[in-house]
Amino acid sequence: MAENHPIRSRGLALAVLCAASLMVVLDSSIVAVALPAIQADLGFTPAGLAWVVTAYLVAFGGLLLISGRLGDLLGRRRVFLGGLGLFTLASLVAGLATDAGVLVVSRFAQGVGGALASAVVLGMIVTMYPEPRARARAIGVYSFTQAAGASIGLIAGGALTQALSWHWTFYVNLPIGVVALVLAVRVVEADRGPGLRAGLDVLGAVLVTAAVMLGVYGISSSAWGVLAAAAVLLAVFVVRQAKARTPLLPLRLFRIRAVTGANVVMVLMVAGMLGFQFVTALYLQQVLGLDALWTGVAFLPVPLVIAVASLGFADKLATRFGPRTVLLSGLGLVIAGLLLLTRVSGGYFTGVLPPLLLMGLGAGAAIPALMGLAMSDVAPEDAGVASGLINTTQQVGAAMGTAILASVAASRTASLGSLDHREALASGFRLAYGVSAGFLIAAVALGALVLSRRPRPAATPSPEVCAAGQA
């Protein structure tokens, strides 16, 4: 079993899982900076260009939950390797694309592969690290890849597009993907699930996949009819899970306060923090006049500070004070940074950088604590679906926050048409920062109310699960 792994081998396996996860996270933002070049080269219409991002997000967000359940049933390493292979191959096709349709289809395939690979990683980590202190440290490493990936993607996207071409925003995945595949086969322990014969709720899978895909698309495009359809499908899915003999998402998970509370907090936290990144990228370019490369460089302090916090001391704080206290304190720092940005008026070093540092410090402490809480009371046989669930709520929060904050900023700017255009833009962005802070304040309030001060110890594996892990 995982606890019998040599420490060195286990550390290398963690590095492989986190490197693959970082590559998938990068892909959601690395392409953003390259969109103008892609449009000019492949002749996308403005509306069609959005599908370069949306096709990826819809597939990725929609398939995370079923991917996590497939990991529980078929073995998490098998699902991880299959997803990573598909993602790497789709990256090659995307880089070679000379037609808009081919690029969009390959982006959808990247989303499918990314969902399969990402959904099971957190479940694999908590299985490999049963000791609380070691698990907290491992989750800190994983959380760094999740929290800093978007910022690193902006930097890499700007550098690759400007130095080479937009094709390299996809080609960069090839060496990482191939090396990760080779190493994963060697160092990640093979596990065996009970198989599909144990029961896969196909109808439930179709319902929730369609609901999340429609939801992500509806939020991204502000299509209320699509959102209503997604809500209806989600309601039908819940009814189905209550009656199914082998549900895709066992509703008993939501009786665990840590699971329910952590997932709702995740939606609100990511809505505020990912939406903030989108707004700040626009502020740096449209108000301060930075180009694509320097916009990416301007975000560099964020992953650096997140690394210091999540890799340096987040696990020690969580062990000493409890993950709930660390989570709420970290979110408090993020709120302080956002409130400072609601009054931003100077240049980058005086107006933007100090709040970025404050927010990076808070995020680096809060995100590992939240990830740990989300998995703390989950039985090993449900680790895959719980991992898929927390990843799904991340995607929903990202889509929701980006759509709402972009709409708020645009509406505010349009209402100030008589002002200087840059000042009108800045005013819209400042209002969006206030709304972003509101998301985080709601997350703190809900976390304080719902999450326990000290989570219960993780559930003991059933004899069947231990036997499967040893097989």
Side-chain angles (χ1 to χ4, degrees), residues 251-272:
L251 296 184
R252 67 176 182 274
L253 285 176
F254 294 103
R255 291 197 289 269
I256 303 173
R257 290 180 64 177
V259 172
T260 302
N263 277 276
V264 178
V265 169
M266 179 65 80
V267 171
L268 295 168
M269 182 181 74
V270 173

Side-chain angles (χ1 to χ4, degrees), residues 77-100:
R77 190 184 78 153
R78 182 183 299 177
V79 171
F80 172 78
L81 292 174
L84 185 57
L86 175 58
F87 182 88
T88 305
L89 179 61
S91 297
L92 174 62
V93 177
L96 294 172
T98 57
D99 176 79

Side-chain angles (χ1 to χ4, degrees), residues 15-28:
V16 171
L17 294 176
C18 288
S21 181
L22 176 62
M23 179 179 66
V24 174
V25 172
L26 285 176
D27 210 69
S28 63

Side-chain angles (χ1 to χ4, degrees), residues 37-300:
I38 291 173
Q39 182 178 20
D41 196 12
L42 299 186
F44 274 98
T45 64
L49 186 64
W51 278 101
V52 177
V53 175
T54 304
Y56 180 85
L57 292 178
V58 165
F60 186 74
L63 293 170
L64 282 166
L65 197 56
I66 187 174
S67 297
R69 187 57 178 162
L70 286 173
D72 290 333
L73 295 175
L74 300 177
R76 294 177 196 121
R77 190 184 78 153
R78 182 183 299 177
V79 171
F80 172 78
L81 292 174
L84 185 57
L86 175 58
F87 182 88
T88 305
L89 179 61
S91 297
L92 174 62
V93 177
L96 294 172
T98 57
D99 176 79
V102 172
L103 181 59
V104 170
V105 171
S106 62
R107 287 288 285 163
F108 187 88
Q110 276 188 303
V112 174
L116 289 166
S118 298
V120 296
V121 168
L122 188 56
M124 295 167 80
I125 290 173
V126 299
T127 303
M128 283 195 305
Y129 290 88
E131 314 92 348
R133 180 67 181 272
R135 175 182 291 187
R137 190 179 304 114
I139 289 178
V141 176
Y142 170 75
S143 299
F144 165 71
T145 68
Q146 299 292 296
S151 297
I152 297 172
L154 291 172
I155 300 167
L160 290 169
T161 302
Q162 196 154 315
L164 299 168
S165 73
W166 65 264
H167 301 275
W168 284 91
T169 61
F170 300 108
Y171 290 150
V172 71
N173 294 329
L174 302 182
I176 301 172
V178 170
V179 171
L181 276 168
V182 172
L183 289 177
V185 171
R186 294 175 61 88
V187 302
V188 177
E189 183 185 20
D191 58 323
R192 182 182 299 173
L196 294 178
R197 65 183 181 279
L200 177 64
D201 181 15
V202 176
L203 177 58
V206 172
L207 287 169
V208 74
T209 299
V212 176
M213 283 185 171
L214 288 175
V216 171
Y217 173 73
I219 292 170
S220 301
S221 58
S222 301
W224 295 105
V226 175
L227 284 173
V232 170
L233 288 174
L234 190 60
V236 176
F237 169 73
V238 172
V239 173
R240 168 68 183 177
Q241 297 311 285
K243 297 181 177 180
R245 186 174 63 87
T246 54
L248 176 70
L249 177 61
L251 296 184
R252 67 176 182 274
L253 285 176
F254 294 103
R255 291 197 289 269
I256 303 173
R257 290 180 64 177
V259 172
T260 302
N263 277 276
V264 178
V265 169
M266 179 65 80
V267 171
L268 295 168
M269 182 181 74
V270 173
M273 292 173 60
L274 263 293
F276 139 80
Q277 280 197 330
F278 172 79
V279 169
T280 303
L282 294 178
Y283 180 87
L284 293 172
Q285 294 183 69
Q286 297 178 0
V287 177
L288 299 187
L290 301 185
D291 62 18
L293 177 59
W294 284 106
T295 295
V297 173
F299 275 100
L300 183 58

